[in-house]
Amino acid sequence: MRHGKYPFVVGFLAAPVTLYAVFVIAPYAQAFQISMTDWRGFSAPNYIGFENFRRLFHDHRFWQAIEHHGILLLALPLITIAIALFFAFLLNVGGRSRGGQRRGVWGSNFYRVVFFFPQVLAVAIVAVLFQTVYRPNSSGLINGVLMKLGLDPVLFLVRPSLALWSIIAVLVWQAVGFYVVLFSAGMSAIPPDIYEAAEMDGATRVTLFFRVTLPLLWDTLQVAWVYLGIAAFDAFAIVSVLSVDNGGPDGATTVLALEIYRNAFVYSKYGYASAMGVALFFLTLTFAALTLRLSRRESVEY
């Protein structure tokens, strides 16, 4: 076995590494290559160096999309994690103590299923669902109620100042359930003795949350922040289906993935779209590396 160790390992790794190289690394390399050309999908591509990247610096829509990603990167993880942590704490530790052990609020198992339900819906279904919720007339779920109360309808997806935040609300609604389950799993791994000892020292629920739960859940929070940040760099499907005029009004909700799609498949500017894809790749990589570096701290063992 010892003499045949390397052939054995190589034999196991050959197939997955080859598949990864062909279906993951090769398309990335091809995108890098195309980003250096003016390829429009028909004639042979001409090499133009970094011209596509220079054009990005003067592209208003590109910077508009970057600005929206900046807002998404802050708002989506912050709001989602705050809401998910609050509900996870209520479902796991927010109830009364029974037999020396902290329990969740009444009906917590039912609430877990309810919170997770949006996660099983396809993104397109969620977008269509919220088209009905945000509809700007009496048939809309919110505006129907407002109009019956004699108030003016709110143009959620039409007003540029509201459109992006309306879409962020949908992204948060869809994501919260998954992170409630994730944080609940993390909280259930915390020994009940720790909560019991803290309560004997007079800790309130607020103290338990900030002084016990949060520090012991730090690694899970770090993972959640990275996942949500990467989700903030996507948001293509929701924006494409829900927004007015694909990223409108007037680019108020556009994101990089949508601009890549528009340049590639509407304007046939494959070289320019690939340059945007390369920019998105490095932005995502930089965000993940920075988040992991800045949020790194020693794990608390228990």
Side-chain angles (χ1 to χ4, degrees):
M1 181 67 185
R2 184 171 180 174
H3 295 292
K5 183 174 69 174
Y6 292 112
F8 179 75
V9 172
V10 170
F12 260 92
L13 287 179
V17 169
T18 304
L19 288 172
Y20 188 79
V22 170
F23 292 107
V24 178
I25 295 177
Y28 274 111
Q30 193 176 29
F32 275 73
Q33 182 201 0
I34 295 173
S35 69
M36 300 281 191
T37 70
D38 62 354
W39 191 45
R40 298 184 70 92
F42 298 104
S43 56
N46 297 312
Y47 179 75
I48 57 171
F50 290 96
E51 180 59 29
N52 285 326
F53 295 98
R54 275 194 288 271
R55 282 178 56 200
L56 285 180
F57 282 99
H58 305 288
D59 188 338
H60 171 65
R61 291 298 284 259
F62 173 74
W63 288 109
Q64 212 173 9
I66 293 286
E67 182 185 342
H68 296 157
H69 280 302
I71 297 171
L72 280 165
L73 276 175
L74 282 176
L76 183 60
L78 270 179
I79 299 172
T80 306
I81 289 176
I83 296 173
L85 267 178
F86 175 72
F87 285 128
F89 186 75
L90 285 181
L91 296 180
N92 290 277
V93 196
R96 293 180 177 177
S97 182
R98 191 179 301 171
Q101 287 193 352
R102 272 278 169 194
R103 293 181 181 274
V105 294
W106 182 84
S108 53
N109 289 331
F110 171 74
Y111 295 138
R112 278 196 190 94
V113 176
V114 171
F115 286 134
F116 195 73
F117 183 66
Q119 197 66 34
V120 302
L121 295 176
V123 176
I125 294 175
V126 172
V128 171
L129 187 69
F130 273 86
Q131 277 179 343
T132 305
V133 174
Y134 288 150
R135 202 169 287 161
N137 51 36
S138 59
S139 64
L141 186 66
I142 299 175
N143 283 320
V145 175
L146 292 177
M147 291 172 80
K148 281 183 179 175
L149 294 173
L151 300 172
D152 292 331
V154 180
L155 307 179
F156 291 101
L157 299 172
V158 178
R159 283 180 60 185
S161 59
L162 266 183
L164 183 62
W165 288 102
S166 302
I167 287 176
I168 289 175
V170 179
L171 291 170
V172 170
W173 180 83
Q174 191 198 13
V176 157
F178 174 78
Y179 291 96
V180 167
V181 174
L182 182 70
F183 295 148
S184 293
M187 288 179 191
S188 64
I190 299 173
D193 300 351
I194 296 179
Y195 286 113
E196 191 180 346
E199 281 184 318
M200 289 176 70
D201 288 340
T204 62
R205 281 191 174 84
V206 176
T207 312
L208 284 178
F209 180 74
F210 285 104
R211 297 290 179 86
V212 178
T213 305
L214 273 186
L216 296 180
L217 214 60
W218 186 259
D219 291 341
T220 312
L221 286 173
Q222 189 185 36
V223 172
W225 192 282
V226 172
Y227 280 174
L228 283 164
I230 292 171
F233 274 117
D234 182 12
F236 170 79
I238 289 283
V239 173
S240 177
V241 177
L242 192 57
S243 65
V244 177
D245 193 24
N246 261 352
D250 196 23
T253 57
T254 193
V255 289
L256 269 180
L258 197 64
E259 292 303 315
I260 291 170
Y261 175 84
R262 196 198 313 274
N263 278 283
F265 301 108
V266 178
Y267 306 134
S268 296
K269 296 177 181 176
Y270 294 100
Y272 192 58
S274 296
M276 283 188 172
V278 171
L280 180 59
F281 169 77
F282 281 111
L283 283 171
T284 309
L285 213 61
T286 306
F287 164 78
L290 275 178
T291 303
L292 291 174
R293 179 69 185 87
L294 294 175
S295 59
R296 190 168 63 185
R297 52 178 284 183
E298 287 187 12
S299 299
V300 179
E301 294 185 2
Y302 51 89

